[in-house]
Amino acid sequence: MRLTHPDGSTVHLAYCTNVHPAETLDGVVAQLAEHCEPVRRRLGTDRLGVGLWLARDAVRALNADPAAPRRLRTELDRRGLEVVTLNGFPYEGFGAEVVKYRVYRPDWTDPERLEYTSDLARLLARLLPPDVTEGTVSTLPLAWRTGFDEAAADAAHRALSELARRLDHVEQESGRSIRIALEPEPGCAVETTADALAPLAALPGHRIGLCLDTCHLATAFEDPARALAALDRAGIPVPKVQLSAALHAGNPQDPAVRSALAAFDEPRFLHQTRARAGGVLHGTDDLGQALAGDALPDTVPWRSHFHVPLHAPPAPPLTSTLDVLREALDVLVGGPTARSTHFEVETYTWQALPPAARPATNAELADGIAAELRLARDLLTDLGLKEQQ
């Protein structure tokens, strides 16, 4: 969907297809018909943005055959879909039964991450709609924190600097500007927006900025206004925003709260869990670790990196951090100018929800994604944006 900000700029709203596990080009094409077009039809809109997740093998196939991107563009067009952003965080295997720490490999110290992201940028320049000149690719926030020392930081900096050079070349060659957005995530070398200031400020030009994921922001108990003000002071752009909500437990001392949290402790993804007490952020790598021991103080709320559906918060005694998302949107587009124009709903955890809350069919999943997009659209229009017809 496209909306117009009061400043006249076009704001793109999409949803991320990493919720649909497909790792080949044929699989990606199939998901457009099976999932994406049905979501568009439920919304009653002629055009829907999709933030494609393309695994390594799919990207290789698309870049190896000049006709392949045209085939994908044709399929997008005939189904009323468009692409202005790609999710380049997972490299492969995101649909595996166990993902956990694997999603952080290869990291930005590995040449494979540079090649993969460069390929995504070149491909996106070919997939952009004719009237769009800027695309975005979100990516891993350098690396998982373990073992990320000064030498690793130097290697990541060199890789990102080379990427910036390649992005310049993409624009010279295609006339399209592709921007990369590092996505802070709990447990990573760049966990918070504050962690992103130094590495991003050290990079040349403005090709590489920050992807603000509002679930991750909330899990780290960051204040949206303060975080975005600090980024602004440092001159760091926010080319992409992922609209998501974290799991919030107000009173983890309560046995009923712990029982409810345990239903979200599942084996596929990491659900990094955080608590802030006395100005100090405490954390575990997964929800089960928080529930099993005393790693987190239980006299303050806990938040867990579990992307819960925007329109359907968990049942009491739990809730979600949708209010943090609202606050971030107010800062980003509630003012006289739009600070970001690429927004993507990214609830990839539908099939990781407690069994009673999981969609049982593709139709139920499409219903849920469409409901999330309606809510996101309404939040944007409440801030003065107008949906384009």
Side-chain angles (χ1 to χ4, degrees), residues 75-88:
E75 287 296 321
L76 290 163
D77 292 343
R78 69 189 290 256
R79 301 190 184 284
L81 307 170
E82 66 178 9
V83 175
V84 303
T85 188
L86 300 177
N87 187 329

Side-chain angles (χ1 to χ4, degrees), residues 208-243:
I208 303 175
L210 184 134
C211 173
L212 188 74
D213 184 301
T214 56
C215 169
H216 304 172
L217 186 81
T219 301
F221 288 88
E222 290 195 80
D223 176 80
R226 291 179 183 174
L228 287 161
L231 291 168
D232 196 40
R233 287 193 299 271
I236 295 171
V238 182
K240 179 174 179 176
V241 180
Q242 288 180 323
L243 303 177

